Amino acid sequence: MAILPIVEVPDARLRETCAPVDAITDEVRGIVADMFETMYDARGIGLAAIQVGIMQRIVVIDLQDRETEEEDPAPEAVRAPHAYINPAITWVSDELSTYSEGCLSIPEQYAEVTRPARCRVTWLDLAGERHEAEYDGLMATCMQHEIDHLNGVLFIDHISRLKRGMLMKKLDKLRRGG
Ligand code: ZN
């Protein structure tokens, strides 16, 4: 396993559309293992393969028993790693919810994002089995955020131009060490 470098904005690779995984091979399982290691190291709760420069429809999520993203990472004992191959949203609720979202590709920046409160998702697991589930709460938000990545969409695309401008300015300042 290896910790992979995370692709950050404004890298154009983050705007590409990822290709479906054809077959669940050892290579795919290796990518998933590296993605988990990278996500835990970066203290994230979700990561899409595109964020480590691999343009395939692969997502890993582990909410680590947290209610919100602001809480400290949970210890290894409560880890619940889930890998989603070719995840697709098949239904979203009319009801909306708002969470403060962040992204490992947009370091240390957060914004309130409103999305459907619930969604249904289909995916393949690492054994190639097809699954379908309905999610709500933080998991629904996280799933929509990660599947957005596979289509070249970032959470900052869901906020106003003004807020996006302010956020990118803060990121510039952070990078300059200010
Ligand atoms: Zn993200």
Side-chain angles (χ1 to χ4, degrees), residues 75-95:
E76 210 156 319
V78 301
R79 280 185 185 176
H82 290 287
Y84 301 86
I85 311 297
N86 299 341
I89 291 172
T90 57
W91 172 84
V92 294
S93 63
D94 291 332
E95 183 198 341

Side-chain angles (χ1 to χ4, degrees), residues 46-48 51 101-106 145-146 149 153-155:
L47 186 73
Q51 293 179 273
E101 293 189 28
C103 182
L104 295 178
S105 295
I106 311 172
H145 175 122
E146 298 308 333
H149 272 302
V153 175
L154 300 170
F155 83 84

Side-chain angles (χ1 to χ4, degrees), residues 123-141:
W123 73 94
L124 299 177
D125 66 18
L126 288 178
E129 296 284 332
R130 188 177 176 277
H131 297 266
E132 182 165 17
E134 189 173 319
Y135 294 112
D136 61 9
L138 181 58
M139 189 63 190
T141 286

Side-chain angles (χ1 to χ4, degrees), residues 59 61 84 87-89 115 119-121 123 135 138-149:
V59 163
I61 294 177
Y84 301 86
I89 291 172
R115 299 178 185 270
C119 62
R120 276 194 86 75
V121 179
W123 73 94
Y135 294 112
L138 181 58
M139 189 63 190
T141 286
C142 191
M143 192 56 90
Q144 291 172 72
H145 175 122
E146 298 308 333
I147 292 176
D148 268 357
H149 272 302

